């Protein structure tokens, strides 16, 4: 299990939402589906996170657990209050893939956390500006490394679990980490054994050991 704190690479700031060992299970006719598996994640003000993963790794479920729309099957979710006068919500969603206008509309509500599912290039850039200009937290899911590179850190999911994280990386490194995160544990082990993960090449050192 990997614990991810969004302040690992930035100054520690106020906690907005924290997930502790959160698991979400759906019972279906074919069997049990784990949408999230033992996810621990801390989201803080002034920090921008991206969530990635190949296939259906649980990105939307994670965002909805952060927003409170989905209650976990197990684990703990801690949420800070919204504004002191109760008029502003804790969380505001950016509608659809949206763009700058959708982000501006979400910011206008005065939330402490912005969420965007499958953010576009335009909305990713607007979220970056919102975090910098308003000090809010932001978490977006995306399938595009170029969009994810606008975030402070990228969290990678596989089968509902956090399997990797990289901070301050460009699209090439993020793309490599995304590819690694989609492989089986056996394949990842063979790759490490053959290529090594020396610190001289950041693409071979996607996982921050301080988050383990």
């Amino acid at each position: 299990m990997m614990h991810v704190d969004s302040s690992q690479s930035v100054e520690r700031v106020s906690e907005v939402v924290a997930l502790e060992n959160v698991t979400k299970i759906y019972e279906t006719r074919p069997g049990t589906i784990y949408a999230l598996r033992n996810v621990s994640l801390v989201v803080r003000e002034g920090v921008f996170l991206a969530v990635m993963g190949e296939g259906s790794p649980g990105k939307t479920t994670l965002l909805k657990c952060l927003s409170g729309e989905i209650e976990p099957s197990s684990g703990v979710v801690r949420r800070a209050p919204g504004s002191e006068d109760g008029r502003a919500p804790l969380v505001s969603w950016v509608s659809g893939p949206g763009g700058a206008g959708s982000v501006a509309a979400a910011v206008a509500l005065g939330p402490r956390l912005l969420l965007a599912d499958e953010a576009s290039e335009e909305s990713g850039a607007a979220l970056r500006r919102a975090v910098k200009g308003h000090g809010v937290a932001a978490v977006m899911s995306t399938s595009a490394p170029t969009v994810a590179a606008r975030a402070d850190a990228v969290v990678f999911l596989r089968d509902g679990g956090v399997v990797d994280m990289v901070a301050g990386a460009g699209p090439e490194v993020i793309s490599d980490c995304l590819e690694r995160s989609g492989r089986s544990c056996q394949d990842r082990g063979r790759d490490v054994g053959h290529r090594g993960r020396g610190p001289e090449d950041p693409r071979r050192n996607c996982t921050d050991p301080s988050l383990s």
Side-chain angles (χ1 to χ4, degrees):
M1 182 188 69
M2 181 182 295
H3 179 90
V4 179
D5 187 330
S6 68
S7 65
Q8 286 289 336
S9 303
V10 296
E11 181 182 355
R12 292 186 68 84
V13 284
S14 300
E15 181 179 292
V16 179
V17 183
L19 308 183
E20 296 181 356
N21 297 323
V22 165
T23 294
K24 180 60 181 178
I25 299 173
Y26 293 103
E27 297 292 346
T28 66
R29 181 168 295 178
T32 300
I33 296 175
Y34 281 80
L36 294 176
R37 296 176 184 263
N38 298 320
V39 172
S40 292
L41 176 70
V42 179
V43 179
R44 298 181 184 275
E45 288 180 348
V47 180
F48 184 13
L49 290 179
V51 182
M52 302 189 79
E54 295 184 342
S56 301
K59 295 180 294 185
T60 300
T61 301
L62 175 59
L63 293 181
K64 289 185 175 181
C65 275
L66 292 173
S67 72
E69 295 175 46
I70 290 179
E71 290 298 321
S73 303
S74 63
V76 176
V77 181
R78 298 194 309 272
R79 295 186 183 88
S83 63
E84 292 182 2
D85 60 11
R87 295 180 182 178
L90 174 65
V91 177
S92 182
W93 283 89
V94 175
S95 8
S102 297
V103 173
V107 170
L109 298 174
R112 297 178 64 183
L113 172 62
L114 296 173
L115 296 176
D117 202 7
E118 290 301 329
S120 64
E121 290 276 1
E122 185 182 352
S123 57
L127 284 167
R128 174 76 274 168
R129 293 192 296 270
V131 171
K132 183 177 180 180
H134 298 275
V136 297
V139 182
M140 68 175 176
S141 70
T142 181
S143 301
T146 54
V147 177
R150 295 188 178 277
D152 296 307
V154 185
V155 177
F156 298 89
L157 298 179
R158 181 174 182 272
D159 297 331
V162 177
V163 293
D164 219 341
M165 180 268 184
V166 63
E172 184 180 356
V173 172
I174 292 171
S175 180
D176 190 55
C177 289
L178 179 61
E179 180 184 356
R180 289 174 184 273
S181 71
R183 300 177 190 171
S184 70
C185 293
Q186 183 178 4
D187 288 341
R188 285 164 60 91
R190 281 201 298 264
D191 185 67
V192 169
H194 289 162
R195 292 174 54 192
R197 301 183 78 172
E200 73 282 359
D201 183 355
R203 289 173 296 171
R204 298 181 183 180
N205 192 25
C206 298
T207 301
D208 182 342
S210 68
L211 301 178
S212 300

